[in-house]
Amino acid sequence: MYKIVEKREIAPRIKLLKVFASEIAKKAQPGQFVILRVDERGERFPLTLADWNKEDGTITLVFLEVGVSTRKLGELGKNEVILDILGPLGNPTEVRNYGVVCVVGGGVGIAAAYPVARALKEAGNKVVSIIGARTAELLIFEEEMMMFSDEFYVSTDDGTKGYKGFVSDVLKILIQKGHRFDLIYAVGPAVMMRAVAEVTRPCKVKTVVSLNPIMVDAMGMCGACRVTVGGKTRFACVDGPEFDAHDVDFGELIRRQMAFLSEEKMALECWEANKRSKEA
Amino acid sequence: MSKWDRLKAVPMPKQPIHIRIRNFDEVALGYNEEQALMEAERCLQCANPQCVLGCPVEIDIPGFIKLLRDGNFREAILKIKEKNNLPAICGRVCPQEDQCQKNCLLSKRGDPVQIGRLERFLADWEREHGVEIPEKLPSTGKRIAVIGAGPAGLTAAGDLAKLGHEIVIFESLHEPGGVLTYGIPEFRLPKRIVQAEINYIEKLGVVIKTDTLIGRLYTIPELLRDEDFDAVFIGTGAGPPIFMGIRGENLSGIYSANEFLIRVNLMRSYLFPKWDTPIKVGDKVAVIGAGNVAMDASRCALRLGAKEAHVVYRRSRAEMPARKEEVENAEEEGVIFDFLTLPIAYYGDEKGWVKRMECVKMQLSEPDESGRRRPAPIKGSNFFMDIDTSIVAIGRRPNPLIQQTTPGLKVAEDGTIIVDEKMRTSIDGVYAGGDIVTGEATVISAMGAGKKAAKSIHEYLTKKI
Ligand SMILES: Cc1cc2nc3c(=O)[nH]c(=O)nc-3n(C[C@H](O)[C@H](O)[C@H](O)COP(=O)(O)OP(=O)(O)OC[C@H]3O[C@@H](n4cnc5c(N)ncnc54)[C@H](O)[C@@H]3O)c2cc1C
Ligand SMILES: Cc1cc2nc3c(=O)[nH]c(=O)nc-3n(C[C@H](O)[C@H](O)[C@H](O)COP(=O)(O)OP(=O)(O)OC[C@H]3O[C@@H](n4cnc5c(N)ncnc54)[C@H](O)[C@@H]3O)c2cc1C
Ligand code: SF4
Ligand code: SF4
Ligand code: FES
């Protein structure tokens, strides 16, 4: 059981939890994630480690409420507990001095990009960050990202803040203007990561993405998370979650993410109906 | 009750077919006292009992049957427990027909004594009448880390705890039990039975730490160096599913048997949406492979509402590796067997959900030197099957994380951990057993390995004092 020591809503439907999980905090590295189960009947679902603190033994999770599992998690308050957290999982980001790196974070993925940007900065890289969201109020972790960025760009789909358009458009403009990058790191929705991959493909800059397929055990035993990378089937939970963006079959990833759409919808309706009847 | 006939086994009462395919409750209901006594009466009490040689842990079979027959159930179950910590489980899932019962003298002329069913009867009797916790030896002050709470790890932990050692089991999943919990379905091995066996191990003082992935949270060198353990037992079992590597295999609706069974058993998705983990089967399901895992998957699919569940197997009925009893149960429930059939490609709809499977028909060659008849495709025999779901049950590889994170640990080419006859690995104080050493095997062989390792670890630690 893992106690929530801090809870904040950092944007509409995006919540931040600080959870006491000292063993995980001690071992966590950038790019890693945990899989959790909120309660006895809950499903196992993964969230990236947005931060951790070895001293006070906490880990930070930032998530967007989309379906039953994230809604249930979002309902938990300070001092309540999460039943199970397994981690740290996945291979850590390969952090070294590449030279100039560009870290791209989209939506709730900005929180996942943050520890990577920080580690890359601390390793001596020049860090150029691009973060984006649908609209200004959904932008998260701006200050945190800025703190570890030499250059910092913002985009929103509706133009309410920063550049009007996608993060991949900003990246494209930077490259066209002659920016040279030694590494591009992107995390966010699959469509965004695909767009970034397409921008960097012609200039052949090494581009790493952190993939988010459906997972069940997250320890390599089920194959739910399989993705095609370079024509080969890989398990994102143990072989990844980071892969070379130019080798990833994003179409397949996006289709597989939607495999249980009708079930998820049904579950959410049941859950909401249940909640209403409990409140009544 | 029909007339007693020494050559005929007392039949196992089962849930009626039309009812059981609508629920996940146990299919085989177990003998009652009268039936158990009748079955026990058949044993010839051989002076030189061959049955014992067939049991990997050498239970004194005539011994416990005699006690049962005399109505001395408590003594009878203790006799079994001298050798087997998990009788309620083995009595249900051991491949008895290939082990103890295969050797039974009676099987030459009729049905063998139903040893597994008697074992189950006694274990169930004990659970209802209170389990005696054996005396533990005084504490030795030694600490042992057991990795994996499957049958190998649980057995090693139980035996070592009785000897007075302090045991912590590290299990990565949120529930202990290994395959017993996440793989074998409720209707074959109810989870409350597994839970009872785990409670017994915990009553011996064993601490089970779930949600702990060794290799990530702690490595074996860290356990020995920083966490103060004197020895380690690795019982991490098999994990990564093998896929066929054919076209379209990553379409949605194609599960590994492991994913399918983890969703159904560990995550209780047969109770979705009351429980949160979804599963989707559709009308027509193909299960690839013909082992126990394939039987379990196809029978789950029918219970989840599939109209047709096909077991698709490239060899013929004679080569099926599944237990006979399970094949019979599957057939009774309506599973269709497509023998000599090999899938070669899948095709999906615009949403990426599988819709069709292309297969070829196979023929078996003449037996080669090893006596095996190899299947070969028949040219031009391609045909299509419309399906909504495919479950690939063609095997699993050893879990690799420990091997990757333990420098100096000797590993075979197939990824299994190499041990000597005392279950010692190449690292001093580190032992291994179960599927992680043998590749996919059986519950009882994993238990046997756990027992053997416990004995060696005890020797190692007491010598060290
Ligand atoms: C390695 C990894 C790291 C992630 N990190 C974060 C994060 O830091 N913050 C965040 O907000 N989200 C993160 N996600 C996505 C998050 O896991 C899903 O949003 C969550 O599982 C949705 O569950 P739900 O029940 O609320 O929604 P549902 O209604 O069940 O599903 C909505 C969508 O979420 C995805 N999803 C559903 N179940 C799973 C599952 N078991 N595993 C993965 N995806 C699933 C599917 O695409 C689905 O269509 C991450 C995913 C992965 C694989
Ligand atoms: C569907 C199915 C049906 C079967 N039916 C039968 C049957 O009828 N009869 C029979 O005799 N056998 C059957 N078997 C085989 C039998 O279950 C296995 O041989 C047996 O469970 C092996 O035991 P084990 O203890 O070695 O490993 P497992 O039971 O696999 O347990 C290993 C445990 O280790 C954990 N683990 C793995 N890696 C780590 C790590 N790094 N850190 C911490 N924990 C870890 C796993 O989560 C798991 O809980 C079946 C198998 C399957 C899959
Ligand atoms: S443990 Fe298995 S093989 Fe041994 S007697 Fe019991 S059923 Fe037979
Ligand atoms: S071989 Fe059969 S008849 Fe003989 S002792 Fe064993 S169970 Fe009894
Ligand atoms: S989530 Fe099961 S193998 Fe990756």
Side-chain angles (χ1 to χ4, degrees), chain B residues 116-342:
Chain B
R117 295 176 183 176
L118 295 178
E119 197 172 314
R120 166 183 171 163
F121 165 76
L122 288 168
D124 289 354
W125 178 89
E126 189 198 29
R127 204 173 47 256
E128 278 156 30
H129 290 81
V131 178
E132 271 178 29
I133 304 296
E135 296 253 321
K136 278 172 49 176
L137 294 180
S139 166
T140 60
K142 298 283 179 191
R143 297 180 76 229
I144 301 144
V146 170
I147 310 175
L154 289 172
T155 304
D159 279 15
L160 286 164
K162 283 188 221 162
L163 291 165
H165 303 295
E166 187 186 326
I167 315 296
V168 182
I169 305 185
F170 295 102
E171 167 58 49
S172 46
L173 291 172
H174 58 261
E175 275 182 51
V179 170
L180 308 177
T181 296
Y182 77 74
I184 303 180
E186 177 77 16
F187 56 78
R188 207 147 70 75
L189 179 62
K191 300 301 155 233
R192 66 186 155 77
I193 307 267
V194 181
Q195 195 49 56
E197 300 291 356
I198 290 166
N199 290 347
Y200 171 78
I201 304 278
E202 283 181 319
K203 283 207 185 105
L204 291 170
V206 172
V207 174
I208 304 180
K209 225 168 133 350
T210 51
D211 295 332
T212 310
L213 184 62
I214 301 302
R216 289 269 185 241
L217 203 56
Y218 302 106
T219 61
I220 288 183
E222 284 169 344
L223 288 175
L224 290 169
R225 195 183 56 222
D226 309 335
E227 303 295 320
D228 267 352
F229 286 101
D230 301 291
V232 173
F233 174 75
I234 309 169
T236 45
I242 297 172
F243 285 95
M244 296 176 67
I246 58 181
R247 188 201 146 131
E249 211 173 14
N250 291 347
L251 286 165
S252 299
I254 304 178
Y255 304 93
S256 75
N258 250 14
E259 179 185 349
F260 189 76
L261 292 170
I262 288 176
R263 282 181 185 273
V264 174
N265 300 312
L266 182 69
M267 306 312 297
R268 318 280 198 279
S269 61
Y270 59 94
L271 300 173
F272 179 83
K274 277 197 186 126
W275 288 58
D276 298 342
T277 306
I279 188 109
K280 192 147 135 182
V281 295
D283 288 340
K284 206 167 158 187
V285 177
V287 179
I288 320 302
N292 285 325
V293 183
M295 299 308 122
D296 286 346
S298 56
R299 296 173 69 195
C300 282
L302 285 178
R303 283 166 174 74
L304 290 164
K307 294 212 174 79
E308 272 179 37
H310 292 248
V311 162
V312 177
Y313 183 44
R314 65 193 175 123
R315 300 174 194 262
S316 68
R317 179 178 288 271
E319 288 82 20
M320 278 206 290
R323 290 189 58 194
K324 204 168 129 252
E325 193 178 321
E326 298 311 325
V327 176
E328 276 168 20
N329 281 332
E331 264 184 323
E332 277 177 16
E333 289 168 13
V335 172
I336 301 161
F337 289 81
D338 299 329
F339 294 112
L340 294 168
T341 306
L342 179 75

Side-chain angles (χ1 to χ4, degrees), chain A residues 87-199:
Chain A
L89 299 169
N91 299 305
T93 310
E94 201 183 320
V95 176
R96 55 186 166 87
N97 193 344
Y98 295 89
V100 185
V101 298
C102 181
V103 178
V104 188
V108 71
I110 303 170
Y114 164 63
V116 175
R118 181 176 62 190
L120 287 170
K121 178 71 198 158
E122 283 166 356
N125 292 283
K126 177 177 176 198
V127 176
V128 177
S129 297
I130 308 171
I131 67 167
R134 274 205 332 275
T135 185
E137 65 172 356
L138 291 175
L139 277 171
I140 58 171
F141 271 56
E142 268 179 277
E143 279 169 30
E144 286 89 340
M145 284 298 279
M146 228 183 290
M147 217 150 53
F148 294 97
S149 306
D150 297 279
E151 282 177 40
F152 182 71
Y153 301 90
V154 171
S155 73
T156 49
D157 298 4
D158 62 1
T160 42
K161 186 158 189 182
Y163 177 86
K164 181 174 189 302
F166 303 125
V167 281
S168 50
D169 299 332
V170 177
L171 177 64
K172 195 172 185 173
I173 294 169
L174 291 181
I175 291 173
Q176 279 166 354
K177 279 191 180 159
H179 269 71
R180 298 228 159 272
F181 297 115
D182 300 296
L183 175 79
I184 312 246
Y185 184 94
V187 51
V191 282
M192 172 222 124
M193 293 190 281
R194 176 165 65 185
V196 169
E198 288 322 313
V199 168

